Amino acid sequence: MARGNQRDKAREKNQQKLAATKKGNGMSGSEQMREKDKVAAIMLAKQKAALEKKEADAQQSK
């Protein structure tokens, strides 16, 4: 029966560890919006660069 106690204690320890890592992010609403806007600007720049590259490749292949 000793193994059952060890198993329970290991399960409890693991649940405490997971609960500590699952805490929500510490950003406020305005910080989240700034981060979202920053990521959106980066993605728009990447899309624009990819489109320009695609158009340049199309011009060269003609």
Side-chain angles (χ1 to χ4, degrees):
M1 197 72 173
R3 178 67 182 145
N5 186 34
Q6 184 180 5
R7 189 177 304 131
D8 290 340
K9 290 214 179 261
R11 184 178 298 126
E12 182 181 328
K13 182 179 175 183
N14 190 34
Q15 286 176 343
Q16 288 175 351
K17 188 174 89 173
L18 289 175
T21 60
K22 284 188 176 183
K23 291 185 179 178
N25 62 17
M27 290 193 291
S28 67
S30 60
E31 288 173 330
Q32 288 177 353
M33 288 300 295
R34 269 185 272 150
E35 184 67 23
K36 185 178 176 182
D37 290 342
K38 186 175 88 173
V39 170
I42 292 170
M43 289 305 297
L44 285 173
K46 285 183 180 182
Q47 288 174 348
K48 183 179 177 184
L51 183 60
E52 289 172 355
K53 183 177 185 274
K54 186 176 177 182
E55 289 174 355
D57 288 344
Q59 290 294 329
Q60 288 178 354
S61 65
K62 283 186 178 183

